[in-house]
Amino acid sequence: MENQNNIGEASTNQIIKQVINYWTDRNKAVTNFINKYPDDAYYKEVAPNRSRAIYLFGHLIAVNDALLPMFALGEKLFPEYDAIFLSVPDKSVADLPSLPELKKSWEKLNETLADHFNKMTANEWLDRHMSVSVEDFKHEPLRNKLNVLINRTNHQSYHLGQMILLNA
Amino acid sequence: MENQNNIGEASTNQIIKQVINYWTDRNKAVTNFINKYPDDAYYKEVAPNRSRAIYLFGHLIAVNDALLPMFALGEKLFPEYDAIFLSVPDKSVADLPSLPELKKSWEKLNETLADHFNKMTANEWLDRHMSVSVEDFKHEPLRNKLNVLINRTNHQSYHLGQMILLNA
């Protein structure tokens, strides 16, 4: 091996940083996509009879916003999005927030999460998230906050793959 | 904090395990999707004028297969897939391998990768991958094998999001 790392606290911190970096990278990919076309384009379905791009964008905001309470970092910034983008599929609600409004929410949420994530210690990342009980976590220590972030990063990639199909 | 972890070698190993677990989980999600419908269904495009599901499946095999040389674990198992699923978009090549053949390749590849991944040490995961030089890696230590796995897991999620749109 050319590079013999010292496995320990520093490597734990480094890997956590890598996971956060990739989360940030996928955030940026969504930001780039949503700023690529004129606003009107995002009101189209990504495929026939599937969700509109604007709905998927709002859905990502609602899902990512839930990280705040799940990580015990505070209340959701946009709890009103749940009834529009989380509990129901697209076209269930007549009036969506406008794209400019969603873009502002997205930016605000990403800044808020980044501020928290940059302050969180390795111990905090490896501690339980709020949807698992203290008792269950004793038996399932992988149900920690970092695992949720890995999951949500992939959730973002999943819907980005769909949004990118938009025939704008 | 309820659970004060001891941050060190054990936590490094745990996080690496979590990253591998999520990779395996997304492999399984692709496997489930590709076994969900009769074979014929996968020859349809996932959206109008977009890739067929069978192409995206072959593309995932070709991209994941490249992890073997990239991690210095050996040669690609299916180098012939590159010219069909990697260098060119869908419908460039007249005859694709059949879906049953691709399913076999997918299984074989996943088993091969899993065998290697389970044996790799934390030091190996945090060492450079073969597309970055020794010299560059000194300055960019995050360009390690684990980072590639995080990236490829998200790549899988991205295309799974597209495949799932298939109107089977």
Side-chain angles (χ1 to χ4, degrees):
Chain A
M1 191 159 318
E2 292 128 351
N3 183 61
Q4 197 67 29
N5 289 292
N6 219 335
I7 299 302
E9 189 176 343
S11 57
T12 299
N13 289 330
Q14 184 190 313
I15 302 179
I16 291 171
K17 191 179 166 193
Q18 293 185 213
V19 172
I20 297 173
N21 281 355
Y22 205 72
W23 159 264
T24 308
D25 181 80
R26 294 298 82 198
N27 278 166
K28 282 185 188 151
V30 172
T31 303
N32 289 343
F33 171 76
I34 216 72
N35 288 310
K36 195 176 171 185
Y37 305 116
D39 284 3
D40 286 357
Y42 300 95
Y43 289 80
K44 286 168 56 173
E45 294 170 336
V46 298
N49 302 314
R50 302 297 183 176
S51 298
R52 290 170 293 171
I54 189 173
Y55 173 88
L56 293 176
F57 184 47
H59 175 71
L60 287 180
I61 301 172
V63 168
N64 294 353
D65 196 13
L67 291 175
L68 290 168
M70 208 167 174
F71 289 0
L73 297 169
E75 296 301 310
K76 287 182 184 177
L77 300 184
F78 312 104
E80 69 277 16
Y81 286 4
D82 285 10
I84 309 172
F85 297 114
L86 208 57
S87 342
V88 293
D90 190 18
K91 295 154 223 164
S92 309
V93 175
D95 289 316
L96 300 188
S98 71
L99 194 71
E101 189 183 330
L102 288 175
K103 284 185 187 183
K104 262 189 220 165
S105 303
W106 174 251
E107 287 305 320
K108 170 82 180 156
L109 175 63
N110 285 344
E111 282 165 21
T112 305
L113 289 173
D115 281 350
H116 285 297
F117 291 178
N118 290 332
K119 281 181 212 143
M120 282 168 69
T121 64
N123 268 316
E124 286 172 303
W125 280 112
L126 296 179
D127 199 8
R128 75 180 178 100
H129 58 74
M130 296 305 110
S131 305
V132 61
S133 70
V134 175
E135 191 53 40
D136 287 349
F137 186 64
K138 280 182 194 157
H139 309 295
E140 301 171 278
L142 300 193
R143 298 180 68 182
N144 53 44
K145 298 186 181 79
L146 194 70
N147 224 32
V148 175
L149 190 66
I150 292 171
N151 177 299
R152 293 303 182 275
T153 306
N154 277 272
H155 176 258
Q156 234 167 217
S157 295
Y158 181 94
H159 287 303
L160 183 60
Q162 297 176 335
M163 289 197 282
I164 225 93
L165 295 176
L166 184 69
N167 220 326
Chain B
M1 190 159 318
E2 292 130 350
N3 183 63
Q4 197 66 30
N5 289 291
N6 218 336
I7 298 303
E9 190 177 342
S11 57
T12 299
N13 288 331
Q14 183 191 314
I15 302 179
I16 291 172
K17 191 180 167 191
Q18 292 186 214
V19 172
I20 298 173
N21 281 354
Y22 205 71
W23 159 263
T24 307
D25 181 79
R26 294 299 83 199
N27 279 167
K28 282 185 188 149
V30 172
T31 303
N32 288 343
F33 171 77
I34 217 73
N35 288 310
K36 195 176 169 185
Y37 306 116
D39 284 3
D40 285 358
Y42 300 95
Y43 289 80
K44 285 168 59 174
E45 295 169 335
V46 299
N49 303 315
R50 301 298 183 176
S51 299
R52 290 169 294 171
I54 188 172
Y55 174 89
L56 293 176
F57 184 46
H59 174 73
L60 287 181
I61 301 173
V63 168
N64 294 353
D65 197 12
L67 291 174
L68 290 168
M70 208 168 174
F71 289 1
L73 298 169
E75 296 300 309
K76 287 181 184 177
L77 300 184
F78 312 103
E80 69 277 15
Y81 286 3
D82 285 9
I84 309 171
F85 297 114
L86 208 55
S87 341
V88 293
D90 190 18
K91 295 155 224 163
S92 310
V93 176
D95 289 317
L96 300 187
S98 71
L99 194 71
E101 190 184 329
L102 288 174
K103 284 184 187 182
K104 264 189 219 164
S105 303
W106 173 251
E107 288 304 322
K108 170 80 179 158
L109 175 63
N110 284 343
E111 283 166 21
T112 305
L113 290 172
D115 282 350
H116 285 298
F117 290 178
N118 290 332
K119 281 180 210 141
M120 283 167 67
T121 64
N123 267 315
E124 287 172 302
W125 280 112
L126 295 179
D127 199 6
R128 74 180 179 101
H129 58 73
M130 295 305 110
S131 305
V132 62
S133 70
V134 175
E135 192 53 40
D136 286 351
F137 187 63
K138 280 181 195 156
H139 309 293
E140 301 171 278
L142 299 194
R143 298 180 67 183
N144 53 44
K145 297 185 181 80
L146 194 70
N147 225 32
V148 175
L149 191 66
I150 292 171
N151 177 298
R152 292 305 182 275
T153 307
N154 278 271
H155 176 258
Q156 235 167 216
S157 295
Y158 180 94
H159 288 303
L160 183 61
Q162 298 176 334
M163 291 198 281
I164 225 93
L165 295 176
L166 184 69
N167 220 326

